[in-house]
Amino acid sequence: MAALTIQNARDGSTFTQGPQDTLLRAALRAGLGLAHECNAGGCGACKFELLEGDIETLWPDAPGLSARDRQRGRHLACQCRALTPLTIKAQTGAEYVPPTPPTRQTARLVATRDVTADIREFRFVASEHARFAPGQFAMLDLPGLGSSRAYSVSNTANGQGEWHFQIRRVANGRGTQVLFDELQPGDTVGLDGPYGTAWLRTESPRDIVCVAGGSGLAPMASIARGAAEAGLLAERKLTFFYGARLPSDVCGEDMLRALPGFGQQIRYIPVVSMPGDDGAWTGRTGFVHEAIAGALPSALADHEFYFAGPPPMTQALQELLMVTHGVPFEQIHFDRFF
Ligand SMILES: Cc1cc2nc3c(=O)[nH]c(=O)nc-3n(C[C@H](O)[C@H](O)[C@H](O)COP(=O)(O)OP(=O)(O)OC[C@H]3O[C@@H](n4cnc5c(N)ncnc54)[C@H](O)[C@@H]3O)c2cc1C
């Protein structure tokens, strides 16, 4: 099928969509700032109205659309492809323009390493490049799956084409089953990226706070590594909170210890929600967001916040930061892992 032209009636912009792309990926590839967040059908941030033309819907039951959205004829740009030229009405904004437009490449699995009992690091080498901002994610096309999965990058951009991911095994998860049980070093996957808006803001003068919940470790490791590489930690402090359920799930400290300034400029604070009754865990307990205010030496609004993890954690953090502590939305950058 030839490339099809899509016009956004809201701002007059046009872009073309090739045969493999969704509307969202095509728009971002063209450098346009179509509103979006997860790229995986979960958040609903890329909703649009179809004014003219025909589309196909890749995942009709995607949870990002409510019954009311469906009744009103709304669609998700991350789950739709054009079948004819289209006119749509979609929200756009400068904050959604990708710093590096995403590209598709092939990536070969070169190594794996267990981080905890259920989080494993997967290292891929891509055919062309590893250009991304710290904190971004890529869409992986795994063999036999038919739909992509989003995974955050844990390393930083490099000239060797290396993309590292830290992935938690999900019970009965189709993608993680392929990754953990079937994929072997030397096997290849499709890699499309970078995506995501929660990247490290190097221009911010504020101290940095990273909060990772469970498999949210990867993008926060990337942010911390990126901040160190960019020389930001000469002037600023970075506090890294890790929220785990069990003491045995606690991880990430080794990656931070390898960075210059650990112990002075960089602090690591693990928080465990189910410490058990044996008294073996002597660190902080509770939900990770509850530990933040008491552990920071100055007002929360003086910090730049990055966080990633399950939607209930990101929701609790948003409320805490914006409602309770008045942190401006522009200082809050997060990914919800659907
Ligand atoms: C922005 C972002 C970043 C993420 N980063 C990480 C990370 O760094 N580490 C990590 O462990 N996890 C991460 N995740 C979660 C990850 O993408 C997967 O949801 C998780 O690994 C479970 O996948 P699964 O295939 O094993 O489970 P499944 O239950 O088989 O699939 C779950 C996910 O697959 C997608 N999906 C399912 N069915 C369809 C369909 N028919 N069409 C299209 N999509 C479908 C949906 O996104 C769904 O949430 C991230 C998620 C997002 C949105």
Side-chain angles (χ1 to χ4, degrees):
M1 200 203 293
L4 296 165
T5 303
I6 291 125
Q7 177 161 47
N8 185 359
R10 192 162 239 173
D11 65 0
S13 61
T14 56
F15 58 98
T16 56
Q17 179 219 272
Q20 277 184 306
D21 266 342
T22 60
L23 293 189
L24 177 62
R25 293 200 208 187
L28 298 177
R29 236 181 272 295
L32 296 177
L34 207 66
H36 68 285
E37 187 192 320
C38 77
N39 206 351
C43 70
C46 65
K47 265 177 233 171
F48 73 94
E49 277 175 59
L50 179 62
L51 302 183
E52 215 178 312
D54 293 329
I55 53 169
E56 65 173 327
T57 302
L58 303 177
W59 188 12
D61 303 327
L65 280 182
S66 64
R68 189 147 183 264
D69 287 328
R70 289 189 168 87
Q71 267 170 6
R72 298 176 109 192
R74 293 199 173 126
H75 307 274
L76 294 176
C78 73
Q79 300 299 328
C80 286
R81 279 192 197 135
L83 296 173
T84 63
L86 304 180
T87 307
I88 63 171
K89 204 165 159 195
Q91 194 199 323
T92 53
E95 66 276 30
Y96 298 110
V97 174
T100 304
T103 52
R104 288 180 189 279
Q105 20 181 357
T106 303
R108 186 167 40 87
L109 180 65
V110 292
T112 62
R113 165 181 86 90
D114 284 338
V115 177
T116 65
D118 62 1
I119 298 180
R120 185 175 293 173
E121 181 168 286
F122 296 82
R123 295 187 171 201
F124 288 88
V125 174
S127 48
E128 287 162 38
H129 65 80
R131 282 198 293 273
F132 51 84
Q136 288 198 286
F137 64 90
M139 303 302 294
L140 295 190
D141 286 314
L142 302 167
L145 225 59
S147 56
S148 313
R149 296 291 184 270
Y151 290 111
S152 302
V153 187
S154 64
N155 61 332
T156 53
N158 60 85
Q160 294 76 43
E162 288 204 27
W163 297 68
H164 300 176
F165 304 98
Q166 291 164 345
I167 299 176
R168 177 186 222 153
R169 185 194 278 275
V170 171
N172 304 316
R174 287 169 55 229
T176 48
Q177 186 186 337
V178 173
L179 282 158
F180 279 77
D181 300 335
E182 298 169 24
L183 213 62
Q184 299 294 325
D187 289 348
T188 57
V189 302
L191 184 155
D192 184 17
Y195 288 100
T197 54
W199 66 79
L200 175 67
R201 272 44 181 191
T202 49
E203 71 286 0
S204 159
R206 288 173 277 275
D207 286 344
I208 297 168
V209 178
C210 294
V211 188
S215 56
L217 178 67
M220 296 303 107
S222 179
I223 296 274
R225 287 169 164 154
E229 264 179 38
L232 304 187
L233 304 182
E235 310 263 309
R236 276 161 258 177
K237 293 192 185 310
L238 185 149
T239 311
F240 192 114
F241 295 88
Y242 185 77
R245 271 200 299 164
L246 306 175
S248 58
D249 295 330
V250 169
C251 59
E253 183 170 353
D254 56 336
M255 289 179 263
L256 297 173
R257 277 189 181 278
L259 301 177
F262 184 83
Q264 291 89 46
Q265 296 298 89
I266 303 176
R267 269 199 311 159
Y268 173 76
I269 302 178
V271 186
V272 168
S273 61
M274 294 166 63
D277 303 328
D278 61 5
W281 176 255
T282 55
R284 291 171 194 251
T285 57
F287 290 121
V288 64
H289 68 276
E290 295 163 352
I292 290 170
L296 294 176
S298 59
L300 270 63
D302 295 342
H303 297 78
E304 199 78 27
F305 283 87
Y306 301 89
F307 45 96
M313 183 201 91
T314 58
Q315 179 69 32
L317 268 165
Q318 267 181 281
E319 278 169 25
L320 175 90
L321 298 178
M322 293 171 64
V323 180
T324 314
H325 291 278
V327 179
F329 187 64
E330 298 73 42
Q331 290 167 224
I332 300 177
H333 319 281
F334 62 91
D335 272 326
R336 294 180 280 171
F337 284 10
F338 292 99

